[in-house]
Amino acid sequence: MMEITYQNGICLYLEQLRALGIDRLYISEETLRQSLPASRQELLDRLYESIKDCRLCRLCEGRTQVVFGAGNPDAELVFVGEGPGADEDAQGIPFVGRAGKLLTDMIQKGMRLKRGDVYICNVVKCRPPGNRTPLLDEAATCEPFLFQQLEIIRPKYIVALGKPAAQSLLRTQAPISRLRGHWHEFRGIKVMPTYHPAYLLRNPEAKREVWEDLQKVMKEMGLPVKGP
Ligand code: URA
């Protein structure tokens, strides 16, 4: 017999079959292996391949490359930012600049997780010129790709970093100061909005509130909550 785990992708497949009304399967291990659907990583790779040459909005004109996302495709927790900056655009990896270092500290020193335990991505996948906030039409054009990423990963929790991420996921115009610190929902996934790390670089006094928000996430995840 073969063990069925999320890692080998079979569980996801069975859930899809069950949703179609099939609750019993008799199948040899070999046939099962041959008919195995793609793992989450493969599905993400396919999505990346389908958008890596995207020209659906003006952001394609200034980008070096699409910054798709990074981390564990089976993550329970996903961080969603706004859009790549100059460092991310150069390296093709989200959150590797100054704000990224702060996010990494929040994950590693604060939450005591590894960056590779979580998945990190953005609302828009191409760098807005001068690191400006993505325009509403740019976010609207790109967010279906974010939503597909989230449907593939199906995390239990999302931390929405800043207003564009919270507004995309929660379909609200409410200010981040009002949204943060409270649980919301995106397609059955719990969402905790909080301030963006770039905001924290400009307003270090807001770190305390972000830490409180992350502690709520840790508590919900069953992680030990100690001081930073
Ligand atoms: N800010 C973001 O929102 N995303 C990044 O990837 C980097 C900085």
Side-chain angles (χ1 to χ4, degrees), residues 52 68 89 140 150 177 220:
K52 73 178 189 342
F68 181 71
D89 177 68
L150 295 171
S177 56
E220 198 69 24

Side-chain angles (χ1 to χ4, degrees), residues 110-194:
M111 302 182 82
R112 299 186 201 282
L113 293 170
K114 296 193 195 82
R115 210 180 125 115
D117 291 336
V118 303
Y119 192 85
I120 304 175
C121 55
N122 285 302
V123 176
V124 300
K125 312 296 188 211
C126 299
R127 180 192 179 196
N131 294 351
R132 65 157 166 76
T133 301
L135 304 179
L136 286 181
D137 67 310
E138 294 159 356
T141 304
C142 212
E143 69 189 10
F145 305 132
L146 167 68
F147 297 165
Q148 286 177 62
Q149 278 176 306
L150 295 171
E151 286 294 350
I152 291 169
I153 299 169
R154 287 298 306 171
K156 289 194 183 148
Y157 315 97
I158 297 170
V159 174
L161 299 164
K163 181 168 146 181
Q167 290 189 343
S168 268
L169 294 169
L170 305 178
R171 289 274 170 270
T172 174
Q173 299 298 316
I176 188 72
S177 56
R178 187 139 63 77
L179 296 171
R180 65 147 286 274
H182 302 284
W183 284 108
H184 302 259
E185 204 182 289
F186 168 80
R187 300 186 183 177
I189 304 168
K190 291 183 163 194
V191 178
M192 175 60 73
T194 196

Side-chain angles (χ1 to χ4, degrees), residues 81-84 88 94-95 122 196:
E82 180 175 311
E88 292 77 18
F95 282 100
N122 285 302
H196 192 284

Side-chain angles (χ1 to χ4, degrees), residues 27 49 55 64 84 99 105 143 165 185 187 208 221 225:
I27 192 165
E49 280 301 315
R55 304 199 66 79
T64 306
D105 279 351
E143 69 189 10
E185 204 182 289
R187 300 186 183 177
R208 189 182 49 79
M221 292 177 76
V225 178

